[in-house]
Amino acid sequence: MDDSELGFAGVARQAELVRAGKVTARQLTEAALARAERLDPRLGAFRTLRFARALAEADACDAGRAEPGSEGLPLLGVPVAVKDELDLAGEVTTFGGAANTTPVDRDCEAVRRLRAAGAIVIGKTTMPEFGQWPFTESAAHGYTRNPWDTSRTTGGSSGGSAAVVAAGVVGAALGGDGGGSIRIPAACCGVFGLKPQRGRVPTAPHPHLWYALGTLGPLTRTVRDSALLYDVLSGPAAGDRWTARPAPTGFLRAASTEPGRLRIGWSAKPAVRGVRPHPEHVGALRETVRALRELGHDVREIDPHYPDTTAAFLPQFYAGVRAEARTVDHPELLERRTRQVVRASALVPEAAVAWAMRHGERLAVRANRVFDGPDLLLTPVLADRPRRIGALDGLGMTGAMLRSLPMIAYTGLWNVTGNPAASVPAGFGRDGLPLAVQLVGREHDEATVLQVAAQLEAVRPWADRIPELARAPH
């Protein structure tokens, strides 16, 4: 297996090869770093690469393979990347901007769990400042480009993570989702991205990520790899503000189990008024309905009767950005748009944020009535096709918010409610860019989402499609 094949093998397969002694952690890490060095000048997806440290960690992994217990590590020797809002010891957590300059001294809990499972973090991926926008563009780090067409956006805010997985640099990269920030870039880049139930993955050392809105999770090429990562990442930690209900079985086991005949409701109706979905997204939705029916499910069009979540979402968004902006070393270096958001957040006292969270809980009850009949909800992920690079150029806070609406029209609701929701690849549009659909599950039910996503992956495999950029010779 050559370096290119290794890059697209996925984390589960890579770990199997290391455990079997067919490849070393150093070989995997060298290959990932070489691909990053070759591809990132065109992608702009890494904020930083850890050449010396990652190779040293790979060597330590290889040296320790004979130690008792190491053979059972699920991510043994596997290179991964993490979004630049996650603390990685010895590196600066920039939140996508230039205002932080001090390296942190310890890993956040999610990164710690990755490393404890044997993974090697090769670098930190790009994001818009504080993850505010569904386009991975920032004044400090420039544009992040889609591997399928470098004139187009990766989406955001976990756009760097999506790009490096789609391009086969790593098999998995951590992201965060406060309004669609895992699902949107997964849809733009043609990879699998599951936003977990709120509280499934700890945000420590922070008690929350944008209050009730934010979650952490991986972007991967396959459903199996996502399930494996969630087995590693899931579970409570000290200081968590929210904790998900324990899963009845492991996620990898769930993803490998047939779900039986399910009731699935589908709708092309956006949860944001005034937004119309692109016809190709509706077409991908209808094709997925057909595939699910052929798999034996009872699939029917429904009206979800979405509640308006604006009054719950916006106060938490403003307060979340404000809280993160207060932690930076040089607030004068924040982007103009971010400074506008921080100024606007002065109109949102903590009492208003507490009300917004309570209001979100009431809205969650209403939104979850959609599952009184169906076991899952199927929708588009995006209303728009991926925009050209420069989507945020010249825009202030209000303009950026308006431009973001078609990108979050199907995703943001489920951050308010906390439900698990996944972006599942669904072919390609006439523009050559990926299409995707969203599977939304009942509260705490990632397992059913994974099961049905795995069924769709089996009947229309997507992981064998590779961007031309990633096929280019060395």
Side-chain angles (χ1 to χ4, degrees):
M1 187 177 288
D2 63 24
D3 286 356
S4 178
E5 290 176 307
L6 279 175
F8 289 100
V11 295
R13 179 59 178 152
Q14 287 176 345
E16 289 169 359
L17 291 170
V18 173
R19 286 193 292 268
K22 296 181 178 179
V23 68
T24 65
R26 185 177 181 94
Q27 287 174 315
L28 284 178
T29 304
E30 284 181 334
L33 288 168
R35 287 179 68 79
E37 211 172 11
R38 177 168 66 88
L39 297 176
D40 203 52
R42 285 174 282 175
L43 295 177
F46 277 103
R47 202 273 298 167
T48 188
L49 284 163
R50 306 172 70 243
F51 289 94
R53 290 180 179 180
L55 290 172
E57 291 166 14
D59 288 340
C61 175
D62 289 330
R65 273 186 49 217
E67 294 179 5
S70 67
E71 69 282 353
L73 295 178
L75 300 176
L76 183 66
V78 173
V80 299
V82 301
K83 187 179 179 182
D84 205 13
E85 66 185 343
L86 297 166
D87 288 348
L88 176 62
E91 303 291 342
V92 178
T93 303
T94 74
F95 295 101
N100 258 354
T101 56
T102 304
V104 299
D105 59 4
R106 64 180 63 185
D107 296 335
C108 69
E109 179 61 15
V111 171
R112 187 199 68 77
R113 291 182 182 191
L114 285 181
R115 287 179 154 179
I120 295 158
V121 182
I122 68 164
K124 303 194 78 177
T125 58
T126 50
M127 59 185 288
E129 193 164 57
F130 298 121
Q132 295 169 85
W133 316 113
F135 311 100
T136 303
E137 303 176 4
S138 71
H141 307 300
Y143 304 131
T144 300
R145 299 174 181 272
N146 196 311
W148 296 97
D149 179 348
T150 55
S151 73
R152 300 284 176 166
T153 183
T154 58
S157 64
S158 306
S161 290
V164 298
V165 172
V169 176
V170 290
L174 284 193
D177 194 314
S181 289
I182 288 174
R183 290 159 289 162
I184 293 166
C188 289
C189 294
V191 298
F192 182 74
L194 168 65
K195 178 194 85 68
Q197 172 68 33
R198 178 188 302 138
R200 180 68 65 196
V201 177
T203 55
H206 310 293
H208 59 79
L209 177 62
W210 282 11
Y211 296 86
L213 298 179
T215 59
L216 301 175
L219 293 102
T220 62
R221 295 185 60 79
T222 68
V223 176
R224 179 191 182 202
D225 281 351
S226 181
L228 173 60
L229 266 292
Y230 275 114
D231 279 341
V232 167
L233 294 166
S234 297
D240 287 350
R241 186 161 183 171
W242 286 278
T243 302
R245 186 184 308 147
T249 186
F251 292 112
L252 186 56
R253 180 178 177 185
S256 306
T257 304
E258 290 291 321
R261 189 170 190 261
L262 298 175
R263 298 165 298 174
I264 301 173
W266 71 271
S267 176
K269 176 183 176 181
V272 173
R273 294 176 184 172
V275 172
R276 291 185 179 181
H278 191 283
E280 287 194 284
H281 294 307
V282 178
L285 180 67
R286 292 182 179 275
E287 281 297 306
T288 305
V289 168
R290 181 192 59 77
L292 290 169
R293 284 174 175 160
E294 290 179 357
L295 285 164
H297 299 299
D298 178 6
V299 189
R300 302 182 185 185
E301 185 174 11
I302 63 171
D303 183 346
H305 298 291
Y306 296 126
D308 186 345
T309 58
T310 306
F313 185 92
L314 281 180
Q316 296 179 77
F317 165 79
Y318 280 120
V321 175
R322 176 177 66 203
E324 291 177 344
R326 286 173 174 169
T327 69
V328 301
D329 300 322
H330 303 284
E332 72 278 6
L333 297 181
L334 293 172
E335 293 179 2
R336 178 176 65 93
R337 275 187 300 268
T338 300
R339 294 197 301 271
Q340 291 173 347
V341 171
V342 173
R343 284 197 297 271
S345 75
L347 301 174
V348 185
E350 290 300 323
V353 181
W355 177 88
M357 288 190 286
R358 293 194 300 272
H359 185 50
E361 292 171 358
R362 293 189 291 269
L363 294 175
V365 173
R366 289 173 54 190
N368 272 282
R369 289 174 187 157
V370 72
F371 299 110
D372 287 349
D375 300 295
L376 291 172
L377 174 65
L378 176 71
T379 76
V381 181
L382 311 171
D384 268 358
R385 300 299 290 139
R387 282 184 171 267
R388 290 196 174 274
I389 289 296
L392 298 177
D393 284 0
L395 297 180
M397 177 191 74
T398 302
M401 285 183 166
L402 291 173
R403 184 150 292 177
S404 298
L405 286 179
M407 301 293 278
I408 67 168
Y410 294 96
T411 57
L413 164 70
W414 305 110
N415 293 85
V416 172
T417 67
N419 292 60
S423 176
V424 183
F428 288 80
R430 287 189 294 272
D431 55 10
L433 292 164
L435 296 164
V437 294
Q438 178 175 233
L439 282 173
V440 185
R442 290 190 171 104
E443 293 176 299
H444 306 277
D445 188 16
E446 292 97 330
T448 303
V449 174
L450 289 166
Q451 287 173 331
V452 173
Q455 286 187 310
L456 289 170
E457 183 181 28
V459 298
R460 53 184 197 192
W462 58 74
D464 56 350
R465 291 288 298 268
I466 297 173
E468 188 63 33
L469 170 147
R471 295 178 182 271
H474 288 272

